[in-house]
Each structure stands twice: as C-alpha cells, then as structure tokens.
Amino acid sequence: MLLPRQKTPNLELETLDHGKFNLSTDIAQRGVVICFYRGLHCPICAKQLIDLQRHVEEFAKRGVSCIAVSSDGEERTRQMADKVSGDSLRFGYGMSLAKAKEWGLYISTSRGKTSIGIEEPALFAEPGLFLVSPDQSLYYGSVQTMPFARPHFSELVGALDFAIANDYPARGEYSGKV
C-alpha cells in the first residue's frame, strides 16, 4: 500500500503525442494527476476520461498536470484517445502489470468481450487515481477493485483549491502501531 507523504514508485512510459513521460522529472509546479484506467474495453473508463479531459485546463490553472495510463498498447490507447477526444490529455501506454502492482492497483482476468463488444486483455489493471506532489510523494490516492463509482474530477479540483488555500497536508500518513 502506498502511503501519503511517502515517495511513490517511479513511472516511465511512452505517451501518444507528448514523448516519454517520466514521473521523477515530469511533475508540474503543484503535482500531477495520474488516472490509471482499465483500457479500451471499458466504457466506464471512457466516461471518466471524457470528464478528466474537461478538467485538464482547470488542473493546469492550479499548477497540476494530468496523464491517463493503462497497460494497453499504443494502438488501443490511440483508439481510446480518439473515443474521448483526448486532445489536451496526455495518454501513456504499455504500463507493465508489475508496475501496476507497485502502485497498488488490482489486477483482473479477462471475461471475454465487454458490453461494448471489445475483448478484454488476458490480464489488466483496475482503476486508480493519484495526485502526486512535486517531490514525488503521494498526496491523494484512490484504488478500486471494480470499474464502478469513480471519483469525480470536479470534486478533486475543489479539494485542490481547499488544499492550496489552507496549506492542507496529505492525510493517511500514519503507519505505526494501532
């Protein structure tokens, strides 16, 4: 489990149109939102990425960059970017499942074709949403076992405004005996 205020694993991968992404060197002034999504086969992911696309500029105004990441290859990632009209959202592709596990993401096995008729990969990561601070420590994290009930980006933007205005620290950092 990743802990707030502790360094996250590094993340290096190719992006569709923005060169290589390297978390250790590619964090905006106040951080980066990393949206791990299941892949092209997931219609709920497409809805979430459309929502993220709508908020990219709002995050940028607050000094936060955004990237959507999956274990899909370049072709499937391009199809997802086209589906969600992801013209300002960076899309990273080819994340290994070992890296997904480092980030605490759950791994699922294929159940064949989804409700939209797209074949699931044999193995794929379930969703996760992270806000990583400029020092590469975890500020916010949400990991899911299912595709349903995703965090809303409008709420994360509002929370970011509160955190900036009040110098609010990352919470959930205690790892001692209870």
Side-chain angles (χ1 to χ4, degrees), residues 34-170:
I34 303 172
C35 180
F36 292 105
Y37 69 98
R38 301 169 86 219
L40 177 65
H41 64 276
C42 178
I44 298 170
C45 293
K47 287 179 185 175
Q48 183 187 37
L49 294 175
I50 289 168
D51 187 36
L52 178 54
Q53 168 72 26
R54 285 189 206 122
H55 288 88
V56 167
E57 187 58 35
E58 291 300 311
F59 282 113
K61 287 177 185 174
R62 291 155 177 83
V64 175
S65 60
C66 300
I67 187 167
V69 175
S70 80
S71 57
D72 275 352
E74 184 176 6
E75 183 180 328
R76 283 172 64 107
T77 302
R78 176 71 63 196
Q79 290 176 47
M80 180 62 96
D82 291 346
K83 182 186 287 192
V84 304
S85 301
D87 54 349
S88 62
L89 176 60
R90 287 185 293 180
F91 278 83
Y93 61 87
M95 175 185 62
S96 73
L97 293 177
K99 182 58 70 174
K101 287 190 91 153
E102 278 184 55
W103 278 84
L105 302 178
Y106 294 92
I107 308 297
S108 289
T109 58
S110 177
R111 294 182 47 98
K113 287 190 177 182
T114 63
S115 62
I116 57 173
I118 298 175
E119 190 75 26
E120 292 180 343
L123 295 172
F124 58 91
E126 291 295 340
L129 182 63
F130 297 89
L131 175 56
V132 179
S133 298
D135 64 357
Q136 201 179 331
S137 65
L138 179 64
Y139 186 80
Y140 165 86
S142 173
V143 178
Q144 297 180 246
T145 63
M146 298 285 279
F148 315 114
R150 310 280 179 99
H152 297 276
F153 293 106
S154 59
E155 292 178 16
L156 188 55
V157 168
L160 189 56
D161 287 342
F162 178 86
I164 292 167
N166 295 285
D167 196 27
Y168 197 78

Side-chain angles (χ1 to χ4, degrees), residues 20-37:
K20 192 171 198 114
F21 174 82
N22 183 334
L23 180 59
S24 66
T25 59
D26 198 8
I27 298 181
Q29 174 193 2
R30 285 207 171 96
V32 59
V33 168
I34 303 172
C35 180
F36 292 105
Y37 69 98

